[in-house]
Amino acid sequence: MLKSLLLNILSILLLVALFLFSDCSSSKKNFFSKTYHNTTAYFNAYFIAKEELREIDELIAQSHHNDYNKILSVFYDIDSITIDGVRDKLEDIIKKASLPIQRHGNSKWVYPSYYLIGMARYYGGDFENAIKTFKYINKNSEDKDLRHQALIALMRTFIDYNEKNNAIAVADYLRKEKLSKENEKDFLLVKTYFFQLAEDYKNMVPNLSKAVELEKDKKKRARYHFILGQVYQYLGFEGEAYNHYKRCLKSSPEYELSFFAKLNMAEVIRLDQKVDLKKIRGYFSKLLKDEKNKEFVDRIYYEMAKFEIKHNNHDQAVEYLKSSVTTGIESPRQKGYSYLKLGELYYDHYKDYRLAQAYYDSAVMTLPQDEEGFEKIKERADILKDFVVQIETIKEQDSLLTLADMDRDELQKLLEEVVAERERKEREQEREAKKLARRNATISNNAGGQVFANPFGIDQSNAQQGGGTWYFYNLAAVSSGRSQFLARWGNRPLEDNWRRSQKKSIPAFAPDELANASDTTAVETEEQQQESVSLDDRVAAMIETIPFSDEAKATALKKIEDAYFKLGNIYNFQLEETDNAINTFEKLLSRFPGSEHEPEALYLLYLMYKERDDEKAETFKQQLIDTYPQTLFAKLAINPNYREESNETAERLKRLYEIAYDYYRQENYSQAKTLVNRAIELYPENSFTDKLRILGILIDGKVEGQTRYQFELQEFIKNYPESPMLDYAKSLLEASKNFKKKELQRKGARYITYFDQPHFFVLVYPNLGEITNLIPSLIDNYIEKKYANRNLKTGNLSLNEGFSIVLVNKFQTKDEAMKFYEDFNKSSVKLPESANIQYENFVITEDNFQIFYQARNVAGYLKFFKEYYKP
């Protein structure tokens, strides 16, 4: 306020001076006039706008979250949420910076004000007008340094506007100009930014190295040295990386940057003797013990694991990664990285694909979806599910075949030892669980929070303990839950019908279980008698799974044969691991000569070897032609163009299409897209390929949204004017364009009277206190008791502020759904009652549910329900 008052007084004094010297010469008048306009323009407008722009710069820096698992960006990311919060301030900058231009046209602050306007437009994402503003300054300003400054900002704008060629053109011009030190530094930083986005780290280094020497701000200098350390580390120059991390620390960085510089130094330090390993491990331990690093514990363990992997201590690395997941602050991104690293370790090093798949799943569940490469991680997790099925099929069937060839007496003795060992371990685990339950009794009894419905009968009331963290991150809750489960159900394996104590089908036992069976110790007689299934019964159940007959052995071998073929295809088409694909197909041909999959396996081996070993490729090609001359694969090997001419190719594509379409219907879009892409890559110009292209567009519509969907349909219509799918593509495009219009027309919720499709059962209930948690639990319990043999699933959805719904799915027919509806309404399920509570329930088709959930009008649908379901 005082500053503003002083500025106004100064302006008034200048006006008085102009008046008093009005009779002076014109040169003096011009002097006083220019001084007045320069002073007023600067202090009344330009200075304030510049300060506001500086505040926005600071806010962007404060809002930025550094992900130290990646090379830090040379410029802070301009977050749209942050910018949305300062829209008014950006408008105010433009408004204030416009005053010198409009009112003080002869002042020296006109073009600097244009620069502020350009930067405000850049930050606001108005790139087109920002570009025009910077170009205007370059064309009209007489200040050379300001023109260079505007061109540097123009180059950065072009980069963010994805006009890389224009950015390069500006850079080429500036390279020939003599720049001030400040402009030279900014130019080098923008070039660094350009190369970083292109992942051209070799060109990034020299530009940032020069810029850091010109940087006066210590904090920025520390950050730039850290980035250089990261880049050198990525490029494998660990000595240079160490030097820059060290220089980062000398520049007095903020604590977080200092911590990660020290952490990274431990990774790149040269290790010449074993004593150095001890020193580094001691350094990590010191970081762990430091109270200031409490929030970084998960990251320290993660770096310790990477260090141990580097030195081939994989077991220790696994332990550190597990500690990373269970300690430190609640950091989903870091936990996701640790789960991902565990998945990679178990896949690449241990070859334990089941655990690898589980850790990949955990990574997908934990990582934020904006994580770079998230879709690829998710796709790999999906692929590994099928991959593990094939691996386990081969292992299980091979184990069973091995047992089938054993002497019966030896087999009996071995199985008794296996079962006895299992029972001993189960009792031991149960005793430990009971001890743990006693220790956690206080936690279990006193815990509050939400109670989740679950089929195990476990009290999960402590699931929300500790600030609302996820149940499985709360170790006390998990331990208590496990204890309650074991107390009620015993130690049950995760399998179908796990509630039943006696089952005809017993899961296959692992090979190491057989190997260690001879070490089984005696078990307590009293505890043996308490088992619900006798040893003899369990052995008998195991024997039932062993393929003794020729027919059973043939079935087991067929399962192995098919699994090898599927596994080879997964390696080849989905994981894109050619070496493993070759090994798998060669095993298939060696173990199952004359297999029904042999022609295709030979053809695929021919294609894979064609890229690496011509002699071997020719061998497989000749074997294919000699043995299976009439097959499609032999004809393709002879004539690669045969695919365009062959109806058999269309049939194969049809099969691939059906598989991909099944994935699409199951909403497994990543798997569907992978199959579609690979099929089109193998058979790009077949009569059936257009259907695959349309399916690919439908998948993109689900994943990428309407804009991408419409663009791809337009491209298809333009590129395939003769396609039999042309009219269908046009109808899809028209439907998409009219979507909003149809939504508006459908505000009255016009339901579809086509009932020959799957149905849902819906229960609408109010969001009132405990009812919100109780209702889903009641529905789950009802289904478990009355419909345990049906594969019914429940979901809980918010309808509006006052109501939620429980959704039971799926019923294949209207009659099935109505039977459930009638049974439920006649049942003894007691929903909480009071004057303020109102429930509604009904059945609805899959199509109509989409309409209902958009309209969210219960009364409107109930009218339709009464008319068509309860006439």
Side-chain angles (χ1 to χ4, degrees), residues 158-221:
F158 277 139
I159 292 169
D160 286 342
Y161 199 37
N162 206 27
E163 291 191 3
K164 301 294 191 298
N165 290 335
N166 284 334
I168 292 169
V170 175
D172 287 340
Y173 175 81
L174 284 169
R175 197 177 292 114
K176 299 168 189 173
E177 293 287 293
K178 187 174 181 181
L179 307 178
S180 67
K181 283 189 177 181
E182 187 66 20
N183 281 339
E184 179 69 23
K185 178 199 72 177
D186 290 341
F187 178 45
L188 289 165
L189 288 173
V190 173
K191 285 201 291 180
T192 301
Y193 179 57
F194 177 86
F195 289 122
Q196 184 172 22
L197 291 179
E199 297 183 1
D200 184 354
Y201 298 118
K202 288 183 180 178
N203 279 313
M204 181 180 168
V205 165
N207 286 286
L208 188 55
S209 297
K210 291 174 187 174
V212 75
E213 299 305 324
L214 295 170
E215 182 57 71
K216 296 175 183 176
D217 187 298
K218 271 192 168 185
K219 286 184 179 178
K220 289 182 180 178
R221 200 159 64 237

Side-chain angles (χ1 to χ4, degrees), residues 36 52 68 102 106 120 201 232 260 367 410 419 427 475 525 559 564 749 772 853:
Y36 164 74
E52 286 185 327
Y68 290 94
Q102 295 165 356
N106 65 338
Y201 298 118
Y232 275 120
F260 282 103
L367 280 170
E410 288 181 9
V419 172
R427 284 192 295 276
L475 297 183
T525 305
K559 287 179 182 178
Y564 268 121
T772 307
Y853 200 63

Side-chain angles (χ1 to χ4, degrees), residues 337-366:
Y337 290 144
S338 299
Y339 279 131
L340 184 59
K341 187 62 73 176
L342 279 164
E344 290 169 354
L345 265 178
Y346 276 102
Y347 183 87
D348 296 323
H349 178 72
Y350 292 105
K351 309 298 181 188
D352 187 334
Y353 302 113
R354 182 182 286 278
L355 270 178
Q357 188 266 322
Y359 281 122
Y360 266 97
D361 264 0
S362 296
V364 170
M365 289 170 62
T366 310

Side-chain angles (χ1 to χ4, degrees), residues 47 142 184 202 260 317 350 423 435 501 506 662 708-709 744:
F47 176 79
E142 295 178 0
E184 179 69 23
K202 288 183 180 178
F260 282 103
Y350 292 105
E423 291 177 351
K435 287 180 187 176
S501 61
I506 302 291
D662 281 341
R708 178 73 181 176
Y709 177 61
L744 290 172

Side-chain angles (χ1 to χ4, degrees), residues 749 751 762 764 799 805 842 844 847-859 861-862:
Y751 293 104
V762 176
V764 183
L799 187 63
I805 62 174
F842 48 83
I844 188 168
D847 288 343
N848 281 337
F849 182 76
Q850 302 303 320
I851 300 169
F852 165 75
Y853 200 63
Q854 287 176 4
R856 300 179 189 243
N857 183 347
V858 177
Y861 180 74
L862 284 174

Side-chain angles (χ1 to χ4, degrees), residues 420-675:
E421 174 67 8
R422 277 188 178 180
E423 291 177 351
R424 184 190 68 77
K425 286 181 179 177
E426 287 170 6
R427 284 192 295 276
E428 187 178 310
Q429 289 171 358
E430 192 168 348
R431 282 196 296 271
E432 288 300 316
K434 286 177 180 175
K435 287 180 187 176
L436 190 61
R438 285 195 291 273
R439 285 201 300 270
N440 291 331
T442 305
I443 297 172
S444 181
N445 291 333
N446 295 336
Q450 186 176 1
V451 180
F452 298 97
N454 66 86
F456 307 134
I458 300 173
D459 175 11
Q460 296 179 341
S461 57
N462 51 2
Q464 295 298 313
Q465 200 171 327
T469 58
W470 187 41
Y471 174 81
F472 290 100
Y473 290 159
N474 186 333
L475 297 183
V478 171
S479 298
S480 176
R482 175 173 169 75
S483 303
Q484 292 173 53
F485 177 90
L486 288 169
R488 176 171 177 179
W489 297 102
N491 189 39
R492 301 289 175 91
L494 182 60
E495 59 182 6
D496 293 337
N497 302 317
W498 61 268
R499 292 178 182 81
R500 298 175 60 191
S501 61
Q502 299 188 46
K503 297 180 279 289
K504 287 185 179 179
S505 176
I506 302 291
F509 28 86
D512 60 334
E513 200 172 20
L514 299 176
N516 298 330
S518 57
D519 298 329
T520 305
T521 56
V523 295
E524 296 85 343
T525 305
E526 184 180 346
E527 289 184 343
Q528 269 186 320
Q529 292 171 352
Q530 294 173 358
E531 291 294 323
S532 60
V533 182
S534 70
L535 184 144
D536 288 341
D537 287 341
R538 296 183 76 172
V539 169
M542 280 187 170
I543 287 173
E544 282 185 24
T545 67
I546 298 172
F548 291 110
S549 70
D550 290 342
E551 185 182 349
K553 286 179 180 178
T555 300
L557 286 167
K558 186 70 175 87
K559 287 179 182 178
I560 296 170
E561 178 188 338
D562 291 344
Y564 268 121
F565 181 68
K566 289 176 183 175
L567 193 61
N569 277 321
I570 291 170
Y571 275 132
N572 186 31
F573 293 112
Q574 294 176 289
L575 294 175
E576 298 182 10
E577 296 178 12
T578 305
D579 288 338
N580 284 329
I582 287 172
N583 290 336
T584 305
F585 284 129
E586 287 181 344
K587 278 182 187 175
L588 170 67
L589 297 179
S590 171
R591 188 168 176 185
F592 300 97
S595 162
E596 67 172 283
H597 304 298
E598 187 166 285
E600 189 168 356
L602 287 169
Y603 177 68
L604 291 170
L605 284 166
Y606 157 65
L607 290 179
M608 287 184 281
Y609 272 120
K610 201 175 174 184
E611 303 296 323
R612 52 178 65 197
D613 188 332
D614 288 339
E615 190 177 335
K616 277 195 174 183
E618 192 59 34
T619 300
F620 283 113
K621 176 182 176 181
Q622 202 57 49
Q623 185 182 346
L624 172 61
I625 294 168
D626 292 344
T627 316
Y628 304 99
Q630 298 305 315
T631 61
L632 165 67
F633 303 106
K635 290 171 183 176
L636 285 171
I638 296 167
N639 173 22
N641 295 322
Y642 181 78
R643 66 188 67 183
E644 288 91 19
E645 305 159 9
S646 173
N647 290 330
E648 287 183 50
T649 302
E651 285 301 312
R652 174 166 171 73
L653 285 175
K654 187 178 179 182
R655 291 200 301 274
L656 287 172
Y657 176 91
E658 287 167 357
I659 295 168
Y661 189 73
D662 281 341
Y663 278 131
Y664 171 79
R665 287 180 62 193
Q666 295 163 21
E667 298 182 357
N668 191 342
Y669 302 124
S670 62
Q671 287 277 63
K673 186 67 174 175
T674 300
L675 277 177

